[in-house]
């Protein structure tokens, strides 16, 4: 049976235990599979030989007790005893799912979930599980320099010399740096130190228009209730978000809470199939107050979830303040319960806010830096999602030949999350470690080492010479990174202060932050499997005639 590009079926092994049917129906909330026939003719099928549509479908591979369902991208690739197993963290979204990376020689062969009751239980999203073929496709494995309009391979020394010449020819006010969605805390800390040494105040890791800022306090940008805390909520208001695409594993936790009973859910923003019933209260900010008043009446543990689609816009600061006001007015902020939650879509952003990777005093933010003529030199640390105007000399430090590399004047090849040891902070503020499973290809190096090498070429002194030294400096500046797996919660008072700020919001409707679930970053766009999934998701759904 063909049920899509992810799961291979060998139905002669099937014992009709219906584990896959129960998972897709109960946990994932999508009726992709079912049982037809009676007696000895009973069979599990997708009815119309259609591909499965759930973002969690890969989990049925782990659930199947007899091998009737196996991984299609992994089939006939390796034996389990040949693989080196490395415990790590998934960075395809901001949930921070615990994973195990299985590699052979210098190639990732498969990715599996690890049990972590506080974050992902035993589940893993399809993007996190099947992204691995994109790790070796379209890779940048040596430095490049644009000569006469064309990128040509050069040595590290030549690349650094070209950058140094441009940096020395301009002023610090005309130099800026942006960090992308897959950057680790150490990489951003090193880049921050480099920009300080250059005398530039222009650094940012936020999407244009984002109001999130460490000056408002840590609680202003965290999922304060925690992912496990969803199971205690009795009412959830989702603002400008589609959790099913932005955080599939977290969405499954909301569905789990719904199945227990006693939960009311409302959505303000784009309509979507979230896999559980909800009341749709409107498309824009003008619906918020009425929706909250109706939903939270008589509730003891209300929860507000604000998505990036509500924040990454011109009136983002006003929307953030309005959401905090709702939480304060309707009993979501108490001594025992903080129901104000920001749902992030990028693995790097909470860590960036924690270390203050935002403009220094008088510096330009992302919006200011990407204006035409604002900068002479722009350093991109794995940034592919932002349009960079012509004019600036662009240094792209990244892993894949994606959008950022096409715009670059100098390319510095770096390591993916499976090729380096790096800290990440998930949406709830939990510090986690992604461990190195394999080594980067060719001349590619870890990001912090590239930044350190460039600083040396410029004659600048950075306060570290090794990853150990870098982490020591990081822990001194930000002590909460020392304890892995722990959450340092923010103060409720900072959310209350946020509620008292803010101006009027516009009537523009909220738009989802993610347009195509399968193609959200450079690794995903390089993956053949993710490309196939994206093409299936865009096809019109066939409907059987009555």
């Amino acid at each position: 049976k063909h049920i899509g590009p992810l799961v291979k079926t060998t139905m002669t092994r099937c014992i009709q235990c219906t584990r896959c049917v129960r998972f897709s129906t109960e946990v994932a909330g999508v009726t992709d599979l079912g049982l037809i026939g009676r007696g000895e003719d009973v069979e599990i099928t997708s009815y119309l030989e259609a591909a499965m549509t759930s973002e969690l479908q890969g989990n049925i591979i782990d659930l199947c007790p007899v091998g009737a369902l196996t991984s299609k991208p992994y089939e006939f690739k390796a034996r389990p005893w040949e693989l080196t197993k490395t415990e790590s963290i998934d960075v395809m979204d901001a949930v921070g799912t615990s994973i195990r990376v299985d590699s052979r020689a210098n190639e990732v062969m498969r990715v599996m979930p690890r049990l972590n009751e506080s974050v992902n239980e035993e589940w893993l999203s399809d993007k996190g599980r099947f992204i691995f073929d994109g790790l070796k496709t379209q890779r940048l494995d040596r430095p490049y320099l644009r000569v006469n309009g064309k990128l040509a391979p050069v040595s590290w020394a030549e690349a650094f010399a070209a950058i140094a010449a441009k940096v020395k020819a301009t002023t610090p006010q005309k130099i800026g740096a942006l960090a992308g969605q897959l950057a680790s805390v150490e990489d951003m800390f090193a880049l921050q130190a480099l920009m300080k040494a250059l005398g530039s105040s222009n650094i940012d890791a936020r999407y244009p228009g984002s109001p999130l800022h460490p000056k408002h306090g840590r609680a202003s940008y965290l999922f304060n209730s925690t992912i496990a805390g969803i199971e205690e909520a009795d009412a959830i208001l989702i603002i400008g978000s589609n959790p099913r695409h932005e955080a599939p594993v977290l969405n499954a936790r909301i569905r789990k809470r719904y199945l227990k009973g006693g939960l009311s859910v409302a959505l303000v923003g784009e309509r979507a199939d979230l896999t559980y019933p909800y009341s749709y209260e409107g498309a824009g900010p003008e619906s918020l107050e009425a929706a909250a008043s109706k939903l939270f009446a008589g509730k003891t543990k209300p929860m507000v979830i604000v998505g990036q689609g509500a924040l990454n816009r011109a009136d983002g600061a006003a929307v953030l303040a309005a959401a905090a006001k709702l939480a304060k007015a309707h009993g979501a902020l108490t001594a025992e319960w903080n129901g104000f939650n920001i749902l992030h879509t990028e693995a790097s952003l909470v860590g960036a806010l924690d270390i203050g990777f935002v403009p220094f005093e008088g510096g330009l933010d992302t919006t200011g830096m990407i204006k035409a003529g604002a900068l002479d030199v722009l350093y991109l640390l794995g940034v592919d999602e932002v349009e960079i105007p012509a004019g600036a000399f662009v240094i792209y430090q990244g892993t894949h030949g994606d959008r950022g590399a096409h715009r670059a004047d100098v390319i510095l090849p770096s390591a993916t999350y499976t090729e380096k040891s790096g800290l990440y902070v998930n949406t709830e503020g939990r510090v986690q470690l992604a461990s190195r499973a394999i080594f980067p290809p060719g001349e590619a190096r870890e990001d912090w080492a590239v930044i350190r090498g460039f600083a040396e070429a410029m004659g600048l002194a950075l306060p570290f010479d090794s990853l150990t030294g870098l982490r020591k400096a990081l822990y001194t500046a930000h002590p909460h990174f020392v304890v892995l797996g722990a959450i340092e919660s923010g103060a409720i008072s900072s959310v209350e202060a946020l509620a008292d700020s803010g101006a009027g919001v516009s009537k523009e409707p909220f738009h989802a932050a993610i347009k195509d679930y399968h193609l959200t970053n450079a690794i995903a766009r390089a993956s053949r499997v993710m490309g196939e999934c994206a093409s299936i998701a865009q096809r019109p759904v066939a409907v059987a005639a009555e």
Side-chain angles (χ1 to χ4, degrees):
K1 292 183 187 301
H2 177 71
I3 59 172
L6 304 181
V7 182
K8 181 183 188 298
T9 61
T10 311
M11 299 313 283
T12 49
R13 299 171 178 167
C14 181
I15 57 170
Q16 287 91 40
C17 67
T18 70
R19 273 182 162 194
C20 54
V21 177
R22 285 161 51 210
F23 172 83
S24 60
T25 307
E26 296 170 22
V27 179
V30 181
T31 51
D32 280 333
L33 296 175
L35 205 65
I36 61 171
R38 298 178 70 175
E40 65 180 14
D41 296 322
V42 73
E43 61 176 297
I44 286 172
T45 177
S46 59
Y47 304 113
L48 299 174
E49 291 288 315
M52 294 182 72
T53 57
S54 170
E55 296 76 23
L56 295 166
Q57 62 181 278
N59 293 291
I60 65 175
I61 295 166
D62 302 333
L63 288 170
C64 184
V66 292
L69 305 171
T70 51
S71 171
K72 195 172 276 189
Y74 174 66
E75 67 173 330
F76 309 131
K77 293 287 194 301
R79 297 292 189 188
W81 56 85
E82 299 172 335
L83 304 175
T84 302
K85 299 165 178 62
T86 309
E87 294 190 349
S88 191
I89 296 298
D90 175 42
V91 298
M92 292 300 114
D93 54 32
V95 172
T97 299
S98 296
I99 59 172
R100 192 188 81 200
V101 180
D102 288 2
S103 57
R104 184 178 64 188
N106 206 41
E107 184 180 349
V108 173
M109 304 304 292
R110 66 176 177 181
V111 177
M112 309 273 283
R114 281 189 294 130
L115 185 68
N116 187 338
E117 293 291 357
S118 302
V119 180
N120 57 292
E121 298 177 294
E122 59 264 63
W123 314 129
L124 174 59
S125 70
D126 290 339
K127 196 158 49 173
R129 185 187 293 265
F130 295 108
I131 199 85
F132 60 86
D133 69 311
L135 293 168
K136 60 184 178 182
T137 313
Q138 295 185 344
R139 285 302 300 271
L140 301 171
D141 60 357
R142 60 187 303 177
Y144 287 85
L145 175 63
R146 195 174 291 278
V147 181
N148 299 325
K150 291 188 176 180
L151 289 167
V154 293
S155 68
W156 278 105
E158 290 170 314
F160 287 156
I163 300 169
K166 288 289 183 181
V167 169
K168 287 171 182 172
T170 188
T171 61
Q173 292 76 27
K174 286 283 191 176
I175 303 169
L178 293 173
Q181 59 181 313
L182 303 179
S184 71
V185 172
E186 293 94 336
D187 303 336
M188 292 184 286
F189 189 74
L191 184 55
Q192 187 183 44
L194 172 68
M195 298 309 285
K196 269 183 188 170
L198 289 170
S200 173
S201 301
N202 309 319
I203 63 168
D204 210 346
R206 301 166 298 174
Y207 199 77
S210 175
L212 301 175
H213 199 287
K215 70 182 180 185
H216 299 309
R218 202 162 189 251
S220 70
Y221 59 83
L222 291 186
F223 200 94
N224 293 292
S225 305
T226 72
I227 295 170
I230 289 170
E231 298 191 27
E232 297 178 40
D234 53 8
I236 299 177
L237 175 62
I238 301 171
I239 304 170
S241 176
N242 179 350
R244 181 176 170 183
H245 286 167
E246 294 168 24
V249 172
L250 183 144
N251 194 62
R253 185 82 76 146
I254 298 177
R255 177 171 169 80
K256 179 183 178 184
R257 172 66 190 89
Y258 156 73
L259 290 174
K260 282 183 181 175
L263 176 70
S264 307
V265 182
L267 172 69
V268 175
E270 277 189 28
R271 283 183 188 269
D273 177 8
L274 299 183
T275 72
Y276 42 82
Y278 62 86
S279 64
Y280 183 70
E281 300 295 340
E286 71 279 358
S287 309
L288 289 176
E289 183 53 52
S293 299
K294 186 166 81 173
L295 180 70
F296 293 152
K299 303 295 184 181
T300 56
K301 287 196 172 179
M303 182 184 283
V304 177
I305 298 178
V306 188
Q308 299 305 302
L311 300 177
N312 296 340
R313 39 190 265 160
D315 63 340
V319 173
L320 183 67
K325 206 172 198 173
L326 291 180
K328 183 179 178 183
H330 295 281
L333 303 176
T334 65
E336 298 81 31
W337 178 254
N338 185 343
F340 178 77
N341 301 295
I342 305 295
L343 179 57
H344 290 272
T345 56
E346 301 182 356
S348 65
L349 189 52
V350 178
L353 293 168
D354 274 357
I355 64 169
F357 198 91
V358 291
F360 300 135
E361 191 69 37
L364 298 173
D365 62 4
T366 305
T367 308
M369 280 188 258
I370 61 175
K371 280 182 182 168
L375 298 175
D376 290 336
V377 178
L378 182 56
Y379 201 121
L380 301 181
L381 181 62
V383 178
D384 295 287
E385 314 306 320
V386 178
E387 286 294 324
I388 309 299
F393 181 83
V394 175
I395 304 133
Y396 178 76
Q397 181 175 320
T399 59
H400 286 72
D402 204 63
R403 298 165 187 168
H406 292 170
R407 172 64 186 85
D409 295 293
V410 175
I411 293 175
L412 305 176
S414 63
T416 63
Y417 70 105
T418 57
E419 297 161 0
K420 64 186 178 186
S421 175
L423 293 168
Y424 289 87
V425 188
N426 78 348
T427 191
E428 58 183 350
R430 190 184 301 274
V431 180
Q432 298 174 297
L433 179 68
S435 301
R436 182 170 65 194
I438 58 175
F439 289 89
E443 295 178 42
R445 297 291 179 267
E446 294 179 35
D447 290 280
W448 72 266
V450 174
I451 293 164
R452 177 68 183 80
F454 170 62
E456 193 168 307
M458 283 287 296
L460 301 171
L462 294 187
F464 55 86
D465 293 311
S466 63
L467 184 57
T468 307
L470 192 161
R471 283 185 176 152
K472 194 173 179 182
L474 172 68
Y475 297 155
T476 303
H478 307 283
H480 72 277
F481 283 105
V482 175
V483 186
L484 293 178
I487 301 174
E488 185 178 295
S489 55
I492 284 179
S493 57
S494 58
V495 182
E496 292 172 336
L498 199 61
D500 298 330
S501 66
V505 294
S506 74
K507 291 190 176 179
E508 185 190 345
F510 297 130
H511 296 289
I514 291 179
K515 295 287 182 280
D516 193 331
Y517 165 74
H518 299 98
L519 304 175
T520 53
N521 57 55
I523 303 174
R525 287 188 286 271
S527 166
R528 182 192 61 78
V529 174
M530 288 295 106
E532 199 173 335
C533 290
S535 66
I536 289 171
Q538 288 160 7
R539 290 177 199 160
V541 178
V543 179
E546 289 185 4

